[in-house]
Amino acid sequence: MEKILQKIVYDNKRYTEYGNVATYIPELRKANKNDLGICIIDMDNNIYEAGNCNEKFTIQSVSKPITLALALMDNGKDKVFSKVGMEPSGDPFNSIMKLETSKPSIPYNPMINAGAIMITSMIKGRNNGDKLNRMMNFFKNLSGNKNLSVNEDVYMSEKLTGDRNRAMAYFLKSEGILTENVEDVLDLYFKQCSIEVTVRDLARIGVNLAGNGIDILTRKRLIDEDVSKVVKTFMVTCGMYDASGEYAINVGIPSKSGVGGGIMGTVPNKMGIGVFGPSLDEKGNSIAGIKSMESVSQKFGLSIF
Ligand code: GLU
């Protein structure tokens, strides 16, 4: 298996040349464009890795399905989906456009920035510090990595330059949809996006989702089964930005990508997959990462369709 993964990394590495690292968050410019790594963890906790699999990167939007799971368990489906929709937007992840034109003006889904910011605002806690602790513990339990932490440089970089996210959050507040303190919510959101992970962390979260929320090692239930199913469905319909349809056809694995170059895939009852390749295509997806997921899916027959 590892041999096959090494070949997949070798074959797809050339695609890193055709994209670029994200620059709108200044700190992300520092990534090495040619990195490509992959990790697969199956339900028996066999771990297979290839390429730049020890590289740390920030989780960015791959965090969105995870905080969605927490917010759903904290608030229930009815409350959450009264404030965020369930439909693909067809627009880029940071688009503001539909917020004002759709009625009610709730974000289209929890995988675009406006929706994810709403989701973060619904995480329960006595204060922001308590919310951050609950969130970090959730990520740590799901990844089985007690050492997960926020990359302070990326967090500060996002906080200083995140005016587009700020604009969306203030708009949602003005509409009475977001009810918490905007700067507190954004602070938590920027920290959530700046959690540092490796492909192994993503693969472990992915395999725990593959088993519908029961941790493969401790056998503890971390996510309710119905919540896990909702999360995976969003990964299929909206997980790869406005390329989710094409990805579903070519790869067919519930996945979420982030502008740090990460992709997390979850193959129901089979495995979790983590990929890292910071060179992005024009839609914000890892260019060689997508190609690698395509190869993995075809090689092992993993499409869920
Ligand atoms: N922190 C990033 C932002 O809010 C996340 C974007 C992404 O990975 O899609 O702009």
Side-chain angles (χ1 to χ4, degrees):
M1 175 91 155
E2 224 146 51
K3 281 252 149 54
I4 298 174
L5 288 187
Q6 277 159 10
K7 177 152 174 31
I8 286 173
V9 168
Y10 180 82
D11 288 347
N12 290 302
K13 207 166 170 104
R14 64 195 163 96
Y15 291 107
T16 60
E17 283 303 327
Y18 302 117
N20 279 306
V21 299
T23 52
Y24 79 101
I25 300 171
E27 202 53 32
L28 295 184
R29 279 173 216 247
K30 294 184 180 164
N32 179 0
K33 168 173 169 161
N34 298 116
D35 277 351
L36 183 62
I38 186 162
C39 175
I40 290 182
I41 304 183
D42 68 18
M43 304 299 284
D44 298 321
N45 197 34
N46 294 306
I47 302 174
Y48 308 97
E49 293 179 321
N52 305 100
C53 46
N54 294 318
E55 209 57 50
K56 287 186 176 176
F57 54 96
T58 51
I59 190 164
Q60 296 300 337
S61 282
V62 182
S63 64
K64 290 172 180 174
I66 305 160
T67 46
L68 171 64
L70 186 57
L72 280 169
M73 289 195 290
D74 277 357
N75 302 279
K77 249 163 121 179
D78 290 350
K79 164 111 191 265
V80 169
F81 294 122
S82 70
K83 293 184 175 268
V84 183
M86 300 188 200
E87 304 304 331
S89 70
D91 296 326
F93 66 97
N94 58 1
S95 175
I96 299 182
M97 195 165 52
K98 287 206 173 92
L99 271 186
E100 201 183 13
T101 53
S102 54
K103 287 284 168 264
S105 44
I106 61 173
Y108 259 61
N109 67 68
M111 300 293 121
I112 52 173
N113 282 8
I117 291 168
M118 270 314 301
I119 293 297
T120 302
S121 81
M122 285 188 263
I123 290 173
K124 295 242 158 97
R126 290 185 307 279
N127 49 45
N128 237 33
D130 190 36
K131 291 178 189 179
L132 178 64
N133 274 339
R134 290 192 65 240
M135 192 175 82
M136 286 306 294
N137 282 334
F138 193 56
F139 277 81
K140 284 178 186 175
N141 289 336
L142 276 169
S143 64
N145 181 355
K146 300 286 172 233
N147 298 321
L148 283 192
S149 62
V150 169
N151 178 320
E152 292 294 326
D153 293 338
V154 175
Y155 155 65
M156 280 314 293
S157 188
E158 288 212 45
K159 197 174 164 82
L160 289 172
T161 58
D163 291 329
R164 206 177 168 87
N165 287 327
R166 209 161 266 123
M168 289 189 261
Y170 276 107
F171 178 79
L172 290 166
K173 177 101 187 202
S174 77
E175 291 286 307
I177 298 161
L178 192 155
T179 50
E180 306 292 306
N181 176 290
V182 172
E183 290 303 328
D184 282 352
V185 171
L186 287 169
D187 196 67
L188 198 56
Y189 172 76
F190 294 140
K191 284 186 175 142
Q192 155 194 334
C193 292
S194 304
I195 296 173
E196 214 164 38
V197 291
T198 62
V199 282
R200 188 185 284 219
D201 298 319
L202 295 187
R204 177 72 179 270
I205 300 172
V207 75
N208 285 333
L209 276 171
N212 273 333
I214 295 184
D215 185 75
I216 48 159
L217 278 186
T218 63
R219 307 307 302 164
K220 270 196 202 144
R221 178 162 288 290
L222 302 174
I223 303 177
D224 296 341
E225 185 169 359
D226 56 332
V227 167
S228 165
K229 288 184 179 171
V230 170
V231 165
K232 281 187 282 190
T233 309
F234 275 118
M235 288 168 75
V236 172
T237 56
C238 321
M240 302 298 287
Y241 305 120
D242 44 336
S244 298
E246 186 182 340
Y247 184 86
I249 289 168
N250 293 338
V251 180
I253 297 174
S255 300
K256 182 72 198 88
S257 67
V259 294
I263 301 178
M264 174 178 75
T266 173
V267 186
N269 302 314
K270 281 201 180 121
M271 62 177 69
I273 307 170
V275 176
F276 168 60
S279 182
L280 308 179
D281 62 20
E282 71 287 351
K283 300 209 164 162
N285 290 309
S286 169
I287 193 162
I290 287 200
K291 289 286 179 192
S292 303
M293 287 296 282
E294 230 175 276
S295 308
V296 168
S297 178
Q298 277 162 17
K299 188 79 199 163
F300 303 110
L302 298 177
S303 172
I304 63 168
F305 301 108

